[in-house]
Structures are given as structure tokens and as C-alpha cells.
């Protein structure tokens, strides 16, 4: 993790998405969902450099098209409107129109050019947006830089997440304090929907949109792209970053001496959110972390880590606190990475179970006891190269089956 | 399915692996497993043309190395010895030696060249083979051409399968009757192991090993490679075919006029076994069949079908008899196949739920009632080409979690 590499990055325990200079937030209940907050907004008092990544699913919801169109214009955003309860996906021409209407109404309310507004939705798919609930409430969103309104935003983007997900870090760039914060939602399930992942990251760093895009891709590959709940990806997934530029550092590029610090700042922020999403996977009781070392290269290390953490057999074994190394070995073998079967070492926690591809004697009771923890660490050494990587997931439980098999009954 | 294409292929309800001319079988209990049969053999009274396919897992168990070596010699087999209860995987040099010892002892007992004997194992991994139980019992295997001994073989290869899996078909090639039969085991779970798939196919057709290999690859791609229980593949998976040549047809090659009939015969046999394996997936209550039409090509159609049938969200929805079309659409979208989001049609049973990518009104109750069946059919039309393909899987249940999370307690 980043913090061991660069002690110059500090976690801000009380920080939120409004901690970076220039940002305000709001969240409220409009009635799209029965009781909880369902409409939120992030606002920046200047045009912020923006970059976003979207689901790789070939079927993308209307709000993604609108956000892409906004950012494509000049790479700047001043507001993002987010609703939960309805994903505006598989809604055809009406859905496109509704997403553009949301953008237009926010722009009008805040006196902004339309293309500086992004739109994001999560929830039920295939139903038209309840525009009668959303549109009249846009001017009821009370933007502020107060923690309580950031907290209201954090709530407004949730679906069946069991808790809000937020983090904040600080560092120095050119001697200036740069703050970054994030808010995310994970794999909740809304009838009849798949889980959607949304993450919003704010920072006051000075950075051009194209450079922010580079940093975001780099950080996402090592964080959000390394978590898996059940392998299903949504039509609505989005990671969006906005940089206000109020920190007054020299504009960040890969040539800037503090570029690695900035990328680490972004990686730390995204990694926190990614782990919170993994830990809050449906029905999950544990976070599983898989670290792979001495792979052929980093890409192969991540491939092995993701295959192991996504294996239903590994996930159920972790749920049952069962040190079932055979399932780990099998997942490594089918990952597609270069492996030498007689060179693999594997540990659960600090106990080595496999050395040179063969099982070692170990205390099943001790390892099983360790696996009762909420955070279970699996370490793999392939001993074929210098690559390393990590992935995060959660256990597979009765509750996962209950949530997903019986939501209507 | 084959039977609608070629009525010349007939199912033999009472047929077994000893129905094709030239084959005998045996199965018995040796004590590797506590109570059930755990050692079996198929014998052919002449050297049979042989072809086999093996797990793509980079970590392959010792018996696979031995079987490959045997077939590599001249493409002929006369016997295959199979044990359940111990997979002889992750057992290092001792495991290799044990597998070769099994081959040598069978060859000695039957007075065969060693390279005409194949070895197959399934069960616990990482433990040395209980050779003291297996070797002394090789001469206790009572080979015969009787149904009861084929049934004993079918039992001897099971791990936690809930039932034996066998099928038999007949057709005519050059006016000669050709019979083919198969026996398989599916995704049982043995501590601490992953599920292993084994299938053995016997036929009396005349065909050279290299041609049999072509036909087997073709049939396997459309059958065994299209089933998924949970995406995990084993170190021990093997599909093995033996052709005695006693049917006296002209030797089959792709140029033979009846080659398509033979391939269909093999496909019908493999498809039956594949579906039985899918239906008997751990904790499964239902067989899920996904048929994809009008894809860009057959490969893409199969890709979509496999992605849908493997989706944990689709699997839990089927368990809950929940017509959750959103999860099907999401799986189609992330399959990696070419799709046009506004051209997709999807049905469950005979009821169309999605047309041109948008949900249709339908009776949830009627579709949910249909989904209470043990065989749930999902049909997808992508409307972008002429490709078609199928895949089979099973629902994801509480029982799956129970079996895999709590085998030790």
C-alpha cells in the first residue's frame, strides 16, 4: 500500500469530498426511493478539470452518454448530479432525453454552460426515470461546504450498500497542500438490476484534464479494476474525478517531480474506496485481499490475484474459514498466467501452506482461527519473475444467495 | 440438438459403455473412499484408437501426464484405470511414480504393453496416493460386458456427484451399425479439492486416432466446453474416447460421407453427459440452458451463452424463479461479443421479455411459474449475424454455499 511507500501522504480521518478547496455538496430525498436520500450533487465554484472512466459493458446507460458528451467538450465540469433508485438504463430514446433534461435543468439552476454538468444514475433498469420527482427537486438541493452535506451526498448515491464509503488524503505538491477525497457506492442490488459501482473523487490540485485522465487510468487499473464481487459488471459504472486547481501547485504532468506523489495520492484514495466496495459486497462478511509476487510481470500478477479472489470456491472457503489451499492452487493454475507448478508458494495470513507447489504440514486450527477475521490475506509467490499485484474481493455467503434469489418475495 | 437434425441417430435407453462391441468394464470398492466404489476399469479386447482432451489448467495432475505419454506412443489404448477419492495432484515426484506404477500394474495384470494403458484419478489433492489399497485390488477388478459391471464403473468414478451419468446412441455408417456410449462424473467436491470433470466415451466405429481427435475437439467445443458450474476448472479434468473398430465401417475421416453423422453421434453423447454434469452441479436444483442466435458468428454466440449461464446473478435469479431480465442484459453486454444494444431480444421459456433492447410488458407470475421447472431455457437473439450457440449451467443455491463453506464441520 501507498502509505508505506510515501509517508508524505496523510490520511484525513474527518475529510470528505468538500474538504478539497472549491467544492460543495448536497443530498436529499425526493421519493425515487421509498425513504433514503436519492438525489445528490457535487459542485465546484470554478470550472474543474475532469476525467472519467466508464463501464466496459457494451450496454451503457443514458447518463454515461451525457457525461461523456459534457467532458468531451472542453474537459471541464462544475457540477455532477447523481440519483439513485433508477439507473435510466435500457430506456431507449426517452432515457437519453431524460438524462439531457437533468443536465439542462442543473445548468439552468446554477447558471452554468450545459457541458459543464455531468449526470450519473444508479438503481432499477428498464423503467423510465421518475422525472416528476427529480426535476422539481433540483432547486431544493442545498449546496454547502459543510461535512453534513457531504455526508448527505454520500448517502444519496447508495442503493443496497450497507454503509457510506468515503475517504480523504493530503500531501504536498510544490510545497502546497493538496487534498483529495472520494465518495463511492458499491454493489447493491435493485430490482431488477445488477450491482453498480460509482465513485466520485475531488481534489484541489492544479492539473489539466488530459493529465488527470492519465493518472486516473493508472490508479483505476490498480484499484477499482482489481476488485470483484461476483464478476458481473453494470451498465452504469463510472469513476469521475474533478480537480479545482485551488492548491496553486505547478500544473501536474508526468514530468513534474511530484507526479508520482500525485498518482499515489489518487491510488490511495481509489484503493480505500475499492476496498470498502469489496468489503460491502452483497452478503459479504469478510474482505479478501490477495497479493501476488514474483510473477512474470505486474499484469500477470494482477491476473492471478483477480482469478483467485473471484473464485467461488475460494470465496466460500473463506466464508467457512477453511484453509483450502487446493482451491487457491487450482485458481492460480487456470488464471492464464505463466506459472511453474513446482515453484509456487502460498500463505494464508502468515502461515505458509504451499512451498514449491507441494503442501506443507500446518495447523488447520490456527489458520482457520485467523480466517475468522474480517480481513483475510492470501499471499502467493510464483517465483518466475519480478511482477507484483493485488486484488480485493469478499466471501460468498448464504446471504448473497438470499439477497439475489429472493428479492421479490 | 442433434436428434432433430439427424433422425438416423437413436438413443439406446439401456445402453452403457460396454454396449459398443469390444468393451468390458468393472468397478469396485478398495477403501480409498469410505464406502462407495472407488476403482474402475474400461477394457477393450483389441487395441482401440484413442483420443483425449485435458484440463487447460496450468497445473495438471500426474495421471494426465501418464495418459498423454501412453496415447503419444501410437494412439492406441486397451485399458483405462480410474480411481476416485484421491486425485494424485500436487504430489510431486512421488505422484508421478505412483501414476506410472498404476499403469505398469494394470499392463502386467492384463498382459498389455504399458503404453496401451491410461490412468485417471479424481478426489482429494495434495495427498500421496494410497497405493496399498489400489495396487493389490487391480487383479480383483472383474471385467465383463455385462450392464451391472458398466454400472459399477459408472459409480466408481464419482466423487460427490449425486448420481451416475451415462448415455448411449446408435447410428449407421456405411450401412453398419455404430454404437457409442459414455460415462462421466461432474463437479463433486472432495476435501480439499476443486470439482473435477471426467468423461469416458466408447465406440465400435472404425476410425484412426488422429481423426478421432479431430471429432472429439469439435464435439467438446460445443458440449463439455459449454458447461459451467462455477468457473473453476480442475487439475484433473479429462475426456477420453476409445474406438474399437468392430463396427467394420470404412475408416472415418472428414472426407467420409458419414463423417457428419459420426460427429453428431459424438456430439449427442457428449451433450447428454455435459447436461447431466451441469444439472448435477453442487447444490443445483435446476439445469439452465442458454441458446443464442443471430450473433456475429458461432464463437461469439457461445461466448454470450457462457457468460449468461455463468453469471452468479443470473444463477441466483433462476434459483429464485425470478424473471430478472436486467441481469441477462448486463451479462450479454459484458460478454465481449459484438452487440447492438437496441437490437437484442430475450425470452425466458416462450415468453419474450426484451425486444430491441427494451423491456416488454409480461406476466411476472407466468414466467416465474415456468422458472419453477427443473429445466429453464433462456433464448437470446442478438440480430447482428448468423452465429448460434448454446451453453448449460445450473442455479446457485444455499446448498452450494453450504457444501463449499462447511465441508470440514
Amino acid at each position: 500500500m501507498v502509505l508505506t511507500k510515501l509517508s508524505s501522504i496523510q490520511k484525513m480521518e474527518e475529510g470528505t469530498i468538500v474538504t478539497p478547496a472549491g467544492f460543495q455538496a448536497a443530498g436529499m430525498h425526493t421519493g425515487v426511493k421509498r425513504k433514503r436520500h436519492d438525489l445528490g450533487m457535487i459542485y465546484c465554484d470554478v470550472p474543474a478539470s475532469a476525467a472519467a472512466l466508464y463501464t466496459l459493458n457494451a450496454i451503457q446507460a443514458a447518463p454515461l452518454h451525457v457525461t461523456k458528451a459534457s467532458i468531451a467538450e472542453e474537459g471541464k465540469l462544475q457540477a455532477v448530479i447523481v440519483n439513485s433508485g433508477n439507473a435510466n438504463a435500457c430506456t431507449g430514446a426517452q432515457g437519453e432525453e431524460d438524462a439531457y433534461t437533468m443536465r439542462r435543468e442543473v445548468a439552468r439552476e446554477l447558471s452554468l454552460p450545459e457541458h459543464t454538468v455531468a449526470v450519473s444514475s444508479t438503481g432499477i433498469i428498464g423503467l423510465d426515470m421518475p422525472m416528476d420527482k427529480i426535476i422539481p427537486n433540483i432547486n431544493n438541493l442545498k449546496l454547502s461546504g459543510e461535512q453534513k452535506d457531504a455526508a448527505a451526498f454520500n448517502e444519496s448515491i447508495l442503493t443496497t450498500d450497507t454503509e457510506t464509503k468515503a475517504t480523504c488524503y493530503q500531501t504536498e505538491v510544490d510545497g502546497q497542500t493538496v487534498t483529495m477525497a472520494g465518495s463511492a457506492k458499491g454493489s447493491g442490488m435493485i430490482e431488477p438490476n445488477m450491482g453498480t459501482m460509482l465513485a466520485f473523487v475531488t481534489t484541489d490540485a492544479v492539473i489539466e484534464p488530459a493529465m488527470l485522465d492519465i493518472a486516473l487510468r493508472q490508479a483505476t487499473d490498480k484499484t477499482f479494476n482489481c476488485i470483484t464481487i461476483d464478476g458481473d459488471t453494470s451498465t452504469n459504472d463510472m469513476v469521475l474525478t474533478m480537480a479545482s486547481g485551488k492548491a496553486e501547485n505547478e500544473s501536474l504532468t508526468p514530468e513534474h517531480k511530484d507526479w508520482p506523489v500525485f498518482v499515489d495520492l489518487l491510488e490511495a484514495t481509489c484503493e480505500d474506496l475499492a476496498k470498502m466496495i469489496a468489503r460491502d459486497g452483497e452478503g459479504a462478511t469478510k474482505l479478501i485481499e490477495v497479493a501476488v509476487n514474483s510473477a512474470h510481470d505486474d499484469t500477470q500478477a494482477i491476473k492471478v490475484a483477480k482469478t483467485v479472489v473471484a473464485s467461488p470456491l475460494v470465496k466460500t472457503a473463506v466464508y467457512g474459514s477453511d484453509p483450502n489451499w487446493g482451491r487457491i492452487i487450482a485458481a492460480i493454475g487456470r488464471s492464464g498466467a505463466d506459472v511453474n507448478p513446482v515453484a509456487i508458494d502460498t500463505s494464508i495470513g502468515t502461515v505458509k501452506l504451499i512451498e514449491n507447489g507441494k503442501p506443507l504440514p500446518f495447523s488447520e486450527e490456527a489458520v482457520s482461527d485467523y480466517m475468522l477475521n474480517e480481513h483475510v490475506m492470501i499471499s502467493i509467490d510464483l517465483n518466475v519473475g519480478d511482477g507484483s499485484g493485488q486484488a480485493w474481493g469478499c466471501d460468498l455467503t448464504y446471504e448473497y444467495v438470499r439477497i439475489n434469489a429472493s428479492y421479490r418475495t
Side-chain angles (χ1 to χ4, degrees), chain A residues 140-178:
Chain A
N140 291 328
L141 283 164
K142 298 287 171 259
L143 288 163
S144 90
E146 291 176 40
Q147 301 289 29
K148 71 170 174 50
D149 289 303
F153 174 86
N154 294 343
E155 275 178 47
S156 73
I157 64 176
L158 304 184
T159 51
T160 54
D161 301 65
T162 65
E163 51 194 11
T164 58
K165 297 165 182 66
T167 191
C168 184
Y169 283 94
Q170 246 173 21
T171 191
E172 291 206 349
V173 173
D174 296 328
Q176 306 289 340
T177 299
V178 167

Side-chain angles (χ1 to χ4, degrees), chain A residues 138-396:
Chain A
I138 287 174
N139 73 352
N140 291 328
L141 283 164
K142 298 287 171 259
L143 288 163
S144 90
E146 291 176 40
Q147 301 289 29
K148 71 170 174 50
D149 289 303
F153 174 86
N154 294 343
E155 275 178 47
S156 73
I157 64 176
L158 304 184
T159 51
T160 54
D161 301 65
T162 65
E163 51 194 11
T164 58
K165 297 165 182 66
T167 191
C168 184
Y169 283 94
Q170 246 173 21
T171 191
E172 291 206 349
V173 173
D174 296 328
Q176 306 289 340
T177 299
V178 167
T179 308
M180 183 177 283
S183 172
K185 73 164 291 281
S187 137
M189 188 69 38
I190 300 282
E191 39 177 292
N193 196 8
M194 71 297 308
T196 290
M197 192 212 87
L198 298 178
F200 304 95
V201 174
T202 58
T203 181
D204 43 25
V206 179
I207 182 168
E208 287 302 308
M211 300 300 110
L212 190 56
D213 189 76
I214 291 171
L216 182 62
R217 283 172 197 278
Q218 208 167 315
T220 296
D221 276 346
K222 291 192 183 173
T223 56
F224 295 120
N225 287 346
C226 293
I227 55 172
T228 173
I229 307 300
D230 53 18
D232 274 297
T233 56
S234 140
T235 53
N236 289 56
D237 293 343
M238 188 193 292
V239 180
L240 181 77
T241 55
M242 295 167 72
S244 69
K246 300 223 165 182
E248 301 191 338
N249 53 286
E250 274 188 48
S251 192
L252 284 151
T253 69
E255 285 70 44
H256 191 296
K257 70 172 174 26
D258 289 334
W259 175 258
V261 180
F262 179 75
V263 172
D264 282 341
L265 184 71
L266 189 53
E267 222 178 283
T269 303
C270 293
E271 183 175 318
D272 275 7
L273 297 176
K275 283 165 133 170
M276 289 178 210
I277 289 169
R279 173 62 186 83
D280 200 22
E282 285 171 334
T285 69
K286 300 173 189 177
L287 173 69
I288 310 175
E289 180 164 358
V290 179
V292 175
N293 287 301
S294 58
H296 181 71
D297 56 32
D298 288 358
T299 306
Q300 293 208 352
I302 290 174
K303 189 186 251 188
V304 171
K306 284 171 81 168
T307 307
V308 172
V309 88
S311 158
L313 295 178
V314 172
K315 289 156 69 80
T316 45
V318 171
Y319 175 49
S321 298
D322 165 14
N324 196 317
W325 57 266
R327 299 182 183 175
I328 300 171
I329 282 283
I332 295 168
R334 74 178 162 82
S335 66
D338 297 337
V339 299
N340 176 0
V342 298
I344 301 169
D345 300 340
T346 299
S347 302
I348 295 180
T350 56
V351 180
K352 191 180 275 192
L353 310 185
I354 304 280
E355 193 167 58
N356 298 325
K358 282 201 70 174
L360 295 173
F362 65 93
S363 159
E364 292 215 2
E365 202 185 332
V367 180
S368 184
D369 278 354
Y370 163 77
M371 294 175 79
L372 294 171
N373 286 311
E374 276 198 29
H375 183 165
V376 173
M377 182 80 201
I378 297 172
S379 313
I380 296 161
D381 281 280
L382 296 179
N383 295 309
V384 295
D386 293 325
S388 61
Q390 286 173 281
W392 300 271
C394 59
D395 53 346
L396 173 57

